[in-house]
Amino acid sequence: DIVMTQSPDSLAVSLGERATINCKSSHSVLYSSNNKNYFAWYQQKPGQPPKLLISWASTRESGVPDRFSGSGSGTDFTLTISSLQAEDVAVYYCQQYYGLPYTFGQGTKLEIK
Amino acid sequence: QVQLQESGPALVKPSETLSLTCTVSGDSVSSGTYYWTWIRQPPGKGLEWIGYIHYSGNTVYNPSLESRVTILMDTSKNHFSLDLTSVGAADTALYYCARSRSDSGFGRYSDYWGQGTLVTVSS
């Protein structure tokens, strides 16, 4: 299985400041034939199911605020929230969908400082 | 708007079979475009992908669960189901159903999720 490791496990950021979450995969999730990274980010708020934020490492889902951005390639990826809002408090998960079984990171809990 | 709703018993006895159904509205499980997926989350823990089914009948399971898992589809009821046999305490989790898609060949990420249903394994 491809192991996904997120850092940090938890993060406290002041409102309006930048938040950065990292995810590292144990195997490259970049498919060379189409140059796509099979990688997604999800946001899970308390009592809610995960919500897809970003697919293909950097493609924001419709309706996701543009303060959320994804970057990276191969084995190293980053989710950046450019200006933290109160409603962004959540646990964030990365996922690879390159190899079966699809696997998730352990989650990063984002709080307000 | 696509909606998914899980249903099934909240309590299952050890060694018995956990059976859940996911009813889909706003889309058709037989559309062929999407893969219909089960994912679980033990209380306070992370996410584990269980498997998916496609209208074509193609199913793929997590090898860690493959010997105990069956996912089926009922197009007449526009739902799909999960059976997990011989359950134990480690199977206690919030079970989510989801719609999964791929814009590029293989590899499917989940764009719509149900609210989840908590299943506790206990005697």
Side-chain angles (χ1 to χ4, degrees):
Chain A
D1 296 5
I2 297 176
V3 177
M4 308 298 285
T5 304
Q6 293 181 227
S7 62
D9 289 333
S10 63
L11 180 63
V13 174
S14 300
L15 290 172
E17 295 299 305
R18 179 186 299 262
T20 301
I21 298 170
N22 300 298
C23 182
K24 189 174 183 68
S25 61
S26 62
H27 186 281
S28 176
V29 298
L30 173 65
Y31 187 48
S32 56
S33 295
N34 59 14
N35 202 37
K36 282 181 172 286
N37 287 283
Y38 285 64
F39 183 90
W41 288 102
Y42 297 86
Q43 175 194 63
Q44 186 176 33
K45 296 182 179 180
Q48 296 185 20
K51 172 188 175 183
L52 177 65
L53 295 177
I54 288 170
S55 59
W56 308 112
S58 60
T59 301
R60 260 193 317 274
E61 278 295 286
S62 175
V64 174
D66 60 7
R67 63 180 180 273
F68 290 90
S69 64
S71 62
S73 184
T75 61
D76 292 278
F77 300 89
T78 299
L79 175 68
T80 301
I81 307 172
S82 60
S83 177
L84 189 71
Q85 305 299 303
E87 61 264 32
D88 300 335
V89 168
V91 178
Y92 292 83
Y93 292 95
C94 60
Q95 182 202 22
Q96 66 81 20
Y97 47 97
Y98 178 89
L100 290 164
Y102 304 145
T103 50
F104 295 86
Q106 80 277 17
T108 295
K109 186 174 184 179
L110 177 58
E111 299 173 312
I112 304 295
K113 184 186 291 184
Chain B
Q1 175 73 347
V2 179
Q3 292 185 313
L4 299 95
Q5 179 66 57
E6 305 88 351
S7 59
L11 183 65
V12 180
K13 290 182 168 54
S15 80
E16 295 190 345
T17 297
L18 178 161
S19 295
L20 297 174
T21 296
C22 180
T23 302
V24 179
S25 58
D27 199 352
S28 171
V29 298
S30 58
S31 71
T33 304
Y34 301 106
Y35 291 70
W36 303 93
T37 301
W38 288 98
I39 294 162
R40 69 180 183 179
Q41 184 173 34
K45 296 188 178 180
L47 299 160
E48 180 180 30
W49 183 85
I50 298 172
Y52 64 57
I53 187 167
H54 183 257
Y55 171 64
S56 63
N58 180 36
T59 54
V60 177
Y61 302 132
N62 191 321
S64 68
L65 299 168
E66 188 165 18
S67 63
R68 299 193 292 131
V69 171
T70 302
I71 299 176
L72 297 173
M73 177 184 286
D74 186 334
T75 56
S76 66
K77 296 179 180 177
N78 208 38
H79 74 204
F80 61 106
S81 62
L82 170 71
D83 281 345
L84 182 65
T85 62
S86 304
V87 298
D91 296 309
T92 293
L94 192 55
Y95 284 78
Y96 293 104
C97 60
R99 188 185 81 169
S100 300
R101 73 176 203 246
S102 178
D103 311 317
S104 184
F106 72 97
R108 287 140 190 109
Y109 55 92
S110 298
D111 59 353
Y112 284 93
W113 296 59
Q115 287 297 308
T117 186
L118 179 62
V119 179
T120 302
V121 178
S122 175
S123 55

